[in-house]
Amino acid sequence: MRGQLEVYVSDGVGNKTGDAFQQRMMKWAHGARTLSDENFRAPIVLAYNLRSEIMKQRNGQYLKIDMHPNEELKLLGFVSDFVSAFHGLKKLITTPFPFPLVQMARTFLFFWIFTLPFTLVREISEPVQVMLIVFFTTYGFIGLEYVSMELDDPFGDDPNDFDDLGMAQMVFEDIYITLYKLDGSKTAEELRSKVANRVRRGSAMQNYRTEMRSSMVDPSSSGGNLT
């Protein structure tokens, strides 16, 4: 997320320490690389591999019936839509919000809340009424401020963040159903087993790092797709 600034690959100008993957990444990096920077690379690599897999069907070894060009363009269009959606989310996450605006808004908010009781005391003689008004007013405005803070960054693992993992699981289940209707239960079970094995191996980001590391050290290990 935006607050994670753990350095994944440092600039390392002139530094030859570390393994081959680290050295190559340090040679190519234009400055310090953060964990967020590496996270943003994964969808682009995924889109590239998806396009490569879609084009492999042209050699006639994957499908019993050749895919129609319109069907191929449709699949490639889905990948393009995925990339467009990713860049839209990236823009939402990385676009900075003017900090002086937030600072001044919160300053005036707290100043108004803390000075409100002094004004109400002169207008209302009953202390209980003043306390109730101040309590509900403070609760409402501070609550709205916390809501704005959550809406500013809705992605992550918090209970009130977007359930992106759940939505991804629903997409995979739809794919299983589609494969079951087209190619039978055997193909659907094979894909589900592959996905389950990937999940058991670790998180998606950890799998991405492992494959990126192996492909950078030995490009032939993944066919050179990631180099």
Side-chain angles (χ1 to χ4, degrees), residues 25 33 36-46 208 212:
M25 292 302 295
R33 306 298 301 170
S36 296
D37 296 331
E38 298 305 317
N39 291 345
F40 287 138
R41 279 180 173 164
I44 302 299
V45 176
L46 174 61
Y208 165 73
M212 176 69 80

Side-chain angles (χ1 to χ4, degrees), residues 3 7 10-11 13 18 22 30 34 40 48-49 64 96 129 141 145 156 162 167 176:
V7 175
S10 60
D11 53 0
V13 177
Q22 187 81 2
H30 293 283
T34 65
F40 287 138
Y48 175 80
N49 290 334
K64 296 180 180 179
Q129 296 181 2
F141 279 96
E145 179 63 23
F162 284 139
M167 291 186 286
Y176 302 151

Side-chain angles (χ1 to χ4, degrees), residues 108-121 124 128-146:
F108 280 106
L109 174 62
F110 288 119
F111 177 79
W112 184 80
I113 289 176
F114 283 122
T115 57
L116 179 62
F118 298 102
T119 304
L120 295 178
V121 167
I124 304 175
V128 178
Q129 296 181 2
V130 175
M131 287 188 292
L132 289 176
I133 294 175
V134 171
F135 171 78
F136 285 108
T137 304
T138 304
Y139 179 81
F141 279 96
I142 297 297
L144 290 176
E145 179 63 23
Y146 273 101

Side-chain angles (χ1 to χ4, degrees), residues 2-154:
R2 190 180 312 170
Q4 295 176 315
L5 295 178
E6 175 186 348
V7 175
Y8 182 54
V9 178
S10 60
D11 53 0
V13 177
N15 186 6
K16 297 301 182 180
T17 60
D19 56 16
F21 168 78
Q22 187 81 2
Q23 293 178 13
R24 184 175 299 185
M25 292 302 295
M26 287 191 298
K27 181 179 67 174
W28 289 349
H30 293 283
R33 306 298 301 170
T34 65
L35 181 59
S36 296
D37 296 331
E38 298 305 317
N39 291 345
F40 287 138
R41 279 180 173 164
I44 302 299
V45 176
L46 174 61
Y48 175 80
N49 290 334
L50 284 174
R51 291 191 177 100
S52 299
E53 293 298 324
I54 293 173
M55 300 303 293
K56 281 182 180 179
Q57 53 84 27
R58 290 188 175 184
N59 60 17
Q61 299 179 1
Y62 291 88
L63 301 177
K64 296 180 180 179
I65 302 176
D66 292 339
M67 184 180 296
H68 193 275
N70 291 338
E71 295 176 338
E72 181 181 286
L73 291 175
K74 189 69 173 180
L75 293 177
L76 293 175
F78 287 146
V79 179
S80 298
D81 293 339
F82 164 75
V83 176
S84 299
F86 162 69
H87 283 295
L89 292 174
K90 182 179 179 181
K91 186 186 301 181
L92 177 64
I93 296 173
T94 58
T95 300
F97 196 79
F99 178 73
L101 178 61
V102 178
Q103 189 178 37
M104 294 186 64
R106 290 182 182 176
T107 301
F108 280 106
L109 174 62
F110 288 119
F111 177 79
W112 184 80
I113 289 176
F114 283 122
T115 57
L116 179 62
F118 298 102
T119 304
L120 295 178
V121 167
R122 296 183 180 181
E123 301 294 335
I124 304 175
S125 58
E126 291 292 335
V128 178
Q129 296 181 2
V130 175
M131 287 188 292
L132 289 176
I133 294 175
V134 171
F135 171 78
F136 285 108
T137 304
T138 304
Y139 179 81
F141 279 96
I142 297 297
L144 290 176
E145 179 63 23
Y146 273 101
V147 170
S148 66
M149 292 168 59
E150 291 294 334
L151 292 178
D152 181 58
D153 192 2

Side-chain angles (χ1 to χ4, degrees), residues 1 149-151 153-164:
M1 296 306 297
M149 292 168 59
E150 291 294 334
L151 292 178
D153 192 2
F155 306 103
D157 300 327
D158 295 335
N160 53 349
D161 287 332
F162 284 139
D163 187 16
D164 47 0

